[in-house]
Amino acid sequence: MQTTVRDSVLDLMRRFGMTSVFANPGSTELPLFRNFPSDFRYVLGLQEATVVGMADGYAQATRRASFVNLHSAAGVGNAMGNIFTAHKNQTPMVITAGQQARSILPFSPFLASNQAVELPKPYVKWSVEPARAEDVPPAIARAYYLAMLPPRGPVFVSIPVDDWDRPAEYVPARDVSTELRVQPDTLEKIAHALDASQRPALVVGGAVDRDGAWDDVIRLAELHNARVWAAPMSGRCSFPEDHRLFAGFLPAHRENIVALLSGHDVILAIGAPAFTYHVEGDGPHVPDGAALYQITDNPETAAWTPVGTSGVGSIRLSVRELATHRPTNAREAPGKRRAPQRAEPSTVMSVAYALQALGEVKRPDDIVVEEAPSARPVMQAYLPFTQSETFYTMDSGGLGYGMPAAVGVALGKPGRRVVCLMGDGSSLYSIQAIWSAKQLGLPITFVILNNRRYAALQDFAPVFGFAAGDAVQGTDLPDLDFCSLAIGMGCPARKVGAAADLHAAFEKALASNTTNLLELDVQ
C-alpha cells in the first residue's frame, strides 16, 4: 500500500510525541482526521483562541511541542491573540491550518487563505505553505525542530486539503540537539564579577523555570548570599517566594527598577529581559556604579539589552557552571523581605483577603494559572509560590490565555490540582475553555474575581492624564453572572459574597477534583 502525506505526518507526530491534537474542526482539515488513530487524542476548543491557549499550557507543562490544527484564514485570525502570547511565552508549538485545494487556488475560492504564509507573521519562528504535497511531511519535521530550538516558539504550516491523500515518503528519524551553551569566557567574566561583588543581585525570569534551572538558581543565590528579584511581567515563578533571599517583584518602570536595585554593585539577569518596561522612563537603566550581566536563551533579547554583558545559551547549563565557581569573597546575608500586613475580612471582601485565603487552603504543589492583571500586585504579596512549575501566566499582556491554558496545563500534569485565577473582564475572552475542561473531566477550579470593572485600566488611567474621579470609557462591567455562564456549559458553580464562607468554599472546590467555578464578589 502506498504511503500518503497523512501516513507520513502521523508517523512523525507519534515519534515527536505530538499525539494530542488541539483543534477546532473545519472542512479543509477533515482529511487529516479520517480514521483517526486510536492512540491519538483530539482536544476540542470551541474557538480558535481557546485552542491555541490550551496547546500553550500543555506545551509548557510537558516541555514538549504541542500540535495545533486551525481552520484556514478565519481560524488563524481568531487565534492570533494567543499565537502572539505563545510567541512571547516562547512556547514550542506546531500550528497547522487548512488551505483550499491546490487546483482551485488560482480562482480565489471560498475559504482559501490568499496569503497564508504572511497571516501569522511576525509571531511565528517560521511560516510555510509547501510547494508540493510531498513536501508537507519534511515541512512538519522542520517546523518541529525549529519550534524546539531556543528560543522556542510557535511555527506555522499551511496545508492544502487535497495534499493529505497524495503519495509521500516517510521522513527519516534524526537527532537534533536543542541545547546551546554560553561562551566559556563570558561565563568566566560573570563568575569573577559575582565573586568580586560586595552586594550582588539576581533578577530571575520565566526561562529559569522553563529550562529546569530552579534548583540551580537557588544554589547560585545561596552561594553568593545574593538578593533575588523577580523580573517585571514574568510569566512563571522562578524562585521560591518564601526563601530568605527573595526580595520581591520588580515593576515594569525604569526609574522604579533603578531605585529598587540601588546599592547593588553587580546585577545578573537570568532568563529574563533587562528590563521589560510598560511606560516611558528616563535616566539610566541600572543604578550608578552597578554592572549589568545577563544570561538569556534568546539572542534577540541579548541584542536589544541596552547596557552590560550578555551571554546566550541554556539557562540551566550556564547557572550550573557558575555555581561551580566557589566564591572567595564572604558577605553577610541581606535582610529578609518584609511580610505584608495580614488581610482581614470585610463586608465586601478585598482581593487581598480572597488571595490570602486561597494561599492558606491550596497545597504548595497545586498549580495556579493566572490572568487577573489588576490583582497581580496583590497576588504577589498574599499568594506566594514556593515550588517549580506551580505558576503560569502570559508574558504578552494579551487577554484570553488563562482559561484555556489552565486546561492545557491540567492535561499536561495529570493528577495535579489546578486553580485558574481570573479577573471578570479577562474571563470573557476565552470562556469556552470551561466547556472543554468539563468535557475532559479535569480537576480545575476556576476562580473569578468579580469587581464589575476593568480595574487594571481604571487604575492605570492616571498615568495617561486622567484626574481622580474621571470616567474611563468602556471599563464598567455590570450585570455579569459567571455562575450562570458556567452552569450553561455543564460546570458546577457557586457565588461567594461573604468572607466567612470563603475558606470552606475553597476547600470544597479543590477537594472535589472536578471542574468547578467559584465567583467571588470583591471590592
Side-chain angles (χ1 to χ4, degrees), residues 257-312:
I257 290 172
V258 170
L260 287 170
L261 294 178
S262 179
H264 292 293
D265 53 356
V266 169
I267 300 162
L268 174 58
I270 305 174
F275 299 97
T276 299
Y277 303 133
H278 191 192
V279 294
E280 291 181 281
D282 295 301
H285 295 276
V286 294
D288 289 342
L292 176 65
Y293 298 86
Q294 179 186 54
I295 298 171
T296 176
D297 58 356
N298 191 338
E300 184 178 341
T301 299
W304 64 251
T305 297
V307 296
T309 299
S310 296
V312 179

Side-chain angles (χ1 to χ4, degrees), residues 36-209:
F36 195 59
S38 60
D39 58 327
F40 278 58
R41 172 173 58 185
Y42 190 100
V43 184
L44 174 61
L46 300 183
Q47 204 263 10
E48 288 85 352
T50 301
V51 167
V52 173
M54 291 192 299
D56 189 319
Y58 184 77
Q60 290 202 61
T62 60
R63 292 201 174 110
R64 298 195 309 267
S66 53
F67 188 92
V68 174
N69 188 245
L70 304 176
H71 181 41
S72 192
V76 176
N78 287 338
M80 274 306 300
N82 274 340
I83 292 174
F84 169 65
T85 291
H87 164 73
K88 287 292 188 179
N89 287 352
Q90 293 182 213
T91 301
M93 188 183 299
V94 176
I95 302 171
T96 59
Q99 173 65 293
Q100 263 292 8
R102 291 180 187 270
S103 62
I104 58 173
L105 282 178
F107 309 111
S108 191
F110 187 65
L111 290 178
S113 182
N114 292 333
Q115 298 186 57
V117 173
E118 300 303 316
L119 182 55
K121 290 180 178 180
Y123 300 119
V124 292
K125 294 181 67 176
W126 183 55
S127 183
V128 67
E129 186 173 277
R132 306 175 303 167
E134 57 264 43
D135 297 332
V136 170
I140 296 289
R142 180 176 176 182
Y144 170 82
Y145 294 128
L146 280 171
M148 291 294 289
L149 282 166
R152 293 180 172 184
V155 292
F156 179 81
V157 184
S158 172
I159 305 171
V161 65
D162 54 338
D163 281 5
W164 292 106
D165 294 320
R166 299 286 177 86
E169 296 180 355
Y170 286 112
V171 178
R174 300 177 60 217
D175 287 325
V176 177
S177 173
T178 60
E179 287 198 320
L180 307 176
R181 288 182 177 268
V182 176
Q183 287 294 319
D185 58 341
T186 301
L187 285 178
E188 192 73 22
K189 183 184 295 186
I190 295 171
H192 284 310
L194 286 173
D195 189 28
S197 171
Q198 295 300 313
R199 194 164 180 250
L202 308 183
V203 177
V204 295
V208 169
D209 208 29

Side-chain angles (χ1 to χ4, degrees), residues 341 343-344 349-358 378-379 382 522:
Q341 184 176 354
E344 299 298 334
M349 76 179 88
S350 66
V351 173
Y353 184 82
L355 298 186
Q356 176 181 275
L358 177 58
V378 182
M379 180 192 71
Y382 287 93
V522 295

